[in-house]
Amino acid sequence: RCATVLPHLLPGGVTIVLPRKPDLNPALNPNFKTVGVRVPDHELVMRLCAALDGPIALTSANKSNCPNSSNIEAFQEIWSDLDLIVDGGLLSSETGSTVVEITDTEFTVIRQGRDYEKTVKLLSKELKMNRSGT
């Protein structure tokens, strides 16, 4: 099912939560049965992934449940915890990604954000998935 869904939502303002595969590096998202996948539609990130010929495992530039960052100064208090900071300039939107968990037949919106309406319409109407948690 994911092979059908992913090309419709990524790249874009959506984080898709999927079941964790056993071969995923155990240091990534340890102690969780799921993992979030995001492909931002930001030219710098897409060029970096293309140059590396693969995905990049990283975290958001803010702590969980804190406001989204629109520039690197907004998360200065965690700089010492980071291996690399790439300054892509001022982000155009402070709205975070829509976070949606997807199974074979249904989806659950965990957080409304950018591309929310597009995501719900695509999953429920075009791909005929059931929405749970409503």
Side-chain angles (χ1 to χ4, degrees):
R1 184 66 165 189
C2 290
T4 305
V5 173
L6 294 180
H8 291 283
L9 296 174
L10 303 175
V14 181
T15 299
I16 300 172
V17 178
L18 301 169
R20 181 186 184 85
K21 298 284 185 180
D23 56 342
L24 183 65
N25 182 331
L28 300 174
N29 217 28
N31 306 317
F32 286 87
K33 294 181 181 181
T34 57
V35 64
V37 175
R38 173 119 195 270
V39 181
D41 52 353
H42 190 279
E43 183 181 348
L44 177 64
V45 175
M46 293 185 349
R47 287 177 48 203
L48 185 57
C49 287
L52 296 172
D53 194 29
I56 303 169
L58 46 96
T59 185
S60 300
N62 62 306
K63 292 186 178 183
S64 293
N65 300 315
C66 290
N68 293 314
S69 303
S70 60
N71 61 61
I72 64 169
E73 286 78 22
F75 60 95
Q76 189 170 2
E77 71 274 1
I78 65 170
W79 284 5
S80 62
D81 297 328
L82 306 175
D83 293 323
L84 174 70
I85 300 168
V86 177
D87 187 353
L90 184 64
L91 299 178
S92 60
S93 173
E94 290 187 22
T95 304
S97 63
T98 291
V99 180
V100 60
E101 185 167 359
I102 296 177
T103 66
D104 287 335
T105 59
E106 62 185 24
F107 69 97
T108 304
V109 175
I110 297 170
R111 179 180 76 190
Q112 291 186 23
R114 196 175 140 221
D115 293 348
Y116 168 74
E117 286 151 13
K118 169 188 161 188
T119 301
V120 171
K121 179 182 176 187
L122 175 89
L123 295 174
S124 60
K125 295 186 178 174
E126 295 178 33
L127 298 177
K128 309 286 189 225
M129 294 180 76
N130 297 317
R131 182 173 181 179
S132 67
T134 57

